[in-house]
Amino acid sequence: MPSSAPHDRLPLAFGGDYNPEQWPQEVWEEDVRLMREAGVTAVSLGVFSWARMEPRPGEYDWEWLDTVMDLLHGAGIAVNLGTPTVVPPAWFYRAHPDALPVTREGVRLAFGSRGAICHSNAEYRAAAATITTALAERYGSHPAVVLWHVHNEYGAPVLACYCEVCAAAFRVWLRERYDTVGALNHAWGTAFWGQQYGDWEEITPPRATPSVCNPTQQLDYHRFADAQARANFVAERDILHRLSPGVPVTTNFMVAPSQGQTVDYWAWAKEVDLVTNDHYLMTDGRRTHVNLALAADLTRSVAGGGPWLLLEHATSGVNWQPYNPAKRPGEMARNSLGHVARGSEGAMFFQWRQSQSGAEKFHTAMLANSGTDNRGWREVTELGRRVGELSAAGLRGTRTRGDVAMVWSWDSWWAQSLEWRPSQDLDARERLDAFYEALYDRHLTVDFLPPTGLGNLDPSRYPLLVVPQLYSAPAGVGADLERYVSRGGTVLVSFFSGIVDENDTLHAGAYPGALRDVLGLTVEEFDPLLPGETISVRGADGASYTADLWSEVVIPGADCETVAVFADGRTAGGAALTRHAVGSGAAWYLATRLTGADLAAVVDLALADAGITPVDLPRDVELVVREGESGTFRFAVNHTGGEVKVVLPDGSRAAVPGGGVEVFRDPR
């Protein structure tokens, strides 16, 4: 990472994607004037501009970009300068049609959208390096440039290509991973269905097959495709580091699980200088602010708890979901400041000025097509003022404090999502959302962790660790969890966890495989429920819960306590919830799917066991703490329609208006 990062010397970022190439030059000066009025401090520039920068091969047009860069710098607006490699120009595809990706079914996708890229294609890689080099040579030392933005949303809409070039690259990747064909055959379990390979050249991508394709072949191809895209990012990043030293390099993530299953952000975070994220509310009828909080907590965790930046979200409705309702008055500020509360060093939008044509012309922007005489503009300028005040108060550099931890693995999600699992409705993301919502409703801030190094987790820092669903678990995960629990930690594990290793191979012995010892039990048999089927669960304390989707035959060990049993159904009388004391801690196991208040009741049992007393606040009110050398900032975010009171450390009660956000700063 560059040693002197300019973003460290900036105010909190407030602004959005700026696409001046969509507008005549006379609009640019008005844009900059209005940006100043709105309190904009930074814009993302050039992300989709390759065709404008290089209208013909080797011919560059910098005049327009020089003008825009100087206008922005003159107004004190910083630039996150994009390498435009997400959309090569039409002339490139005319010369190199094989750079377009091929689907699993053998269909080559066409130019006319964005992200139509074969990441293994040599011509694309060379062209991307050339335009990135030219851009960095011209603007690498421009005083407006404080951040480089490579590509855009890797994996959206296409990550994997199945062409012959990718097939050859896949074989190279496999040789590096397995060394011998024999080792590959063992890892892939090719003895099943007679799929053994005798030579590397016999191996292809997991293209369309008559029945289910080898699951480990599919899993490895997903890993390969992720690695190919990441290698292309690293190639551009290294050019920028060389030609623009000291300026950090990023690419925009999409970590919210409902949006981003494509790439492994734990791996990507190691390659960027600053973690940035795009987040859009998924308007599917659920409480959208809960997913927003999850996304922000997960992004902060991917960043190692350090600084990160919300690089895109929407001022109001988007245009690419089936239904795109507008945000209610005050909702944009709540969304934005909710991200800031959970660690973002600002709030950026897509985009600054609403487009008049193209696929996203109905996507809202900071500056609407109707101009400035509207609610949206008034809310944008008010938010700019508030972000500026937080910046002046010293919020930058403070860190959000997590209360509990949760394990999440993109790799395990990929594996679990393959075909022919015990129930097609198994969904690791759904379990993540459900457990997160239970913790959110207890007003607890969550730090996420990958399933590695958990043995070093400090129980005094994280008294509770939740494992919502970890289907694919390396062999060492069980020992790591046992070490954490034995030193006083409490772990709560949900069903269908610990089942396979990193090759999607069942762990030897009874389920739950890698987690058998720490949980103190075995699972004799899975018994998934049919759609619409429910069963009752009865606690030893008389509590009753309704479960669906899943049950199993659990055999508790001698020192494993049964806390609740299945009260009816095929597994009636068997353990549904258990507690296994290990050292000075405990490992809980929930063998079925509970939702809503029923799941929250089980989470409450684990919280009490961990010695955690949740904050007493109304539902849908957040209290999130950022702290650092400049002081402690308490963000109270009220998603309800009425005023609420929050208790501050000095015992006083402070009012937070309905739909509002208040930030309270503790004295130093």
Side-chain angles (χ1 to χ4, degrees), residues 412-636:
S412 179
W413 189 20
W414 298 343
Q416 185 177 320
S417 299
L418 295 171
E419 307 98 329
W420 288 12
R421 301 316 184 201
S423 170
Q424 69 175 16
D425 293 332
L426 283 165
D427 185 348
R429 182 191 61 79
E430 182 275 332
R431 286 292 81 192
L432 179 78
D433 288 345
F435 277 91
Y436 183 89
E437 187 168 8
L439 294 168
Y440 175 93
D441 283 341
R442 271 60 187 160
H443 313 287
L444 296 168
T445 301
V446 177
D447 285 345
F448 290 88
L449 301 169
T452 54
L454 298 174
N456 298 321
L457 199 61
D458 182 358
S460 67
R461 175 68 185 86
Y462 297 113
L464 176 65
L465 175 65
V466 177
V467 184
Q469 205 153 73
L470 186 65
Y471 163 72
S472 174
V477 168
D480 282 349
L481 290 179
E482 194 161 4
R483 183 166 182 263
Y484 161 75
V485 174
S486 68
R487 291 182 291 118
T490 300
V491 64
L492 172 59
V493 179
S494 183
F495 62 92
F496 209 53
S497 293
I499 307 301
V500 300
D501 66 13
E502 58 272 22
N503 293 320
D504 199 38
T505 297
L506 292 174
H507 286 291
Y511 307 132
L515 304 185
R516 199 167 50 234
D517 292 341
V518 67
L519 295 174
L521 53 81
T522 60
V523 172
E524 191 171 90
E525 188 176 20
F526 300 141
D527 189 14
L529 306 182
L530 298 175
E533 187 179 5
T534 62
I535 52 176
S536 298
V537 174
R538 185 178 61 250
D541 58 357
S544 179
Y545 315 111
T546 299
D548 67 356
L549 178 68
W550 192 263
S551 69
E552 52 193 35
V553 179
V554 176
I555 311 299
D559 55 352
C560 182
E561 173 191 0
T562 297
V563 180
V565 298
F566 292 110
D568 53 31
R570 294 180 296 274
T571 53
L577 177 66
T578 62
R579 179 185 184 274
H580 181 219
V582 180
S584 55
W588 292 70
Y589 181 63
L590 178 60
T592 188
R593 184 170 79 172
L594 302 179
T595 56
D598 288 344
L599 179 60
V602 169
V603 169
D604 283 342
L605 293 175
L607 286 170
D609 205 13
I612 297 174
T613 303
V615 178
D616 183 18
L617 281 173
R619 191 172 191 255
D620 291 327
V621 176
E622 302 175 27
L623 187 60
V624 184
V625 177
R626 286 184 63 159
E627 53 194 0
E629 292 182 2
S630 59
T632 299
F633 297 80
R634 302 178 188 277
F635 285 74

Side-chain angles (χ1 to χ4, degrees), residues 287 289 328-331 334-335 440-441 443 617-622 636-646 655-661:
R287 299 157 70 202
H289 55 278
R328 303 298 91 192
E331 187 176 0
R334 285 201 310 280
N335 293 165
Y440 175 93
D441 283 341
H443 313 287
L617 281 173
R619 191 172 191 255
D620 291 327
V621 176
E622 302 175 27
V637 185
N638 183 3
H639 297 283
T640 76
E643 181 181 282
V644 298
K645 296 289 183 65
V646 297
V656 184
V661 180

Side-chain angles (χ1 to χ4, degrees), residues 29 47 147 235 275 283 304 345 376 404 424-425 444 481 584 605:
E29 291 190 7
V47 176
L147 183 65
V275 167
T283 51
E345 299 283 58
V404 296
Q424 69 175 16
D425 293 332
L444 296 168
L481 290 179
S584 55
L605 293 175

Side-chain angles (χ1 to χ4, degrees), residues 12 340 344-345 390-398 626 630 633 635:
L12 292 172
V340 172
S344 176
E345 299 283 58
L390 289 171
S391 187
L395 184 71
R396 277 193 63 89
T398 60
R626 286 184 63 159
S630 59
F633 297 80
F635 285 74

Side-chain angles (χ1 to χ4, degrees), residues 109-194:
L109 301 178
F111 175 69
S113 180
R114 68 173 193 178
I117 294 165
C118 167
H119 282 285
S120 301
N121 183 269
E123 287 78 14
Y124 168 75
R125 290 182 164 188
T130 298
I131 188 64
T132 298
T133 298
L135 196 64
E137 286 177 342
R138 188 161 189 94
Y139 300 107
S141 59
H142 194 290
V145 178
V146 299
L147 183 65
W148 285 100
H149 176 176
V150 170
H151 204 269
N152 183 73
E153 295 179 341
Y154 278 95
V158 178
L159 179 72
C161 169
Y162 294 81
C163 72
E164 285 301 321
V165 173
C166 286
F170 183 43
R171 288 189 283 269
V172 171
W173 185 88
L174 290 172
R175 293 186 75 151
E176 292 174 353
R177 182 176 179 86
Y178 294 111
D179 190 44
T180 68
V181 174
L184 178 141
N185 280 319
H186 178 74
W188 285 14
T190 57
F192 185 79
W193 280 359

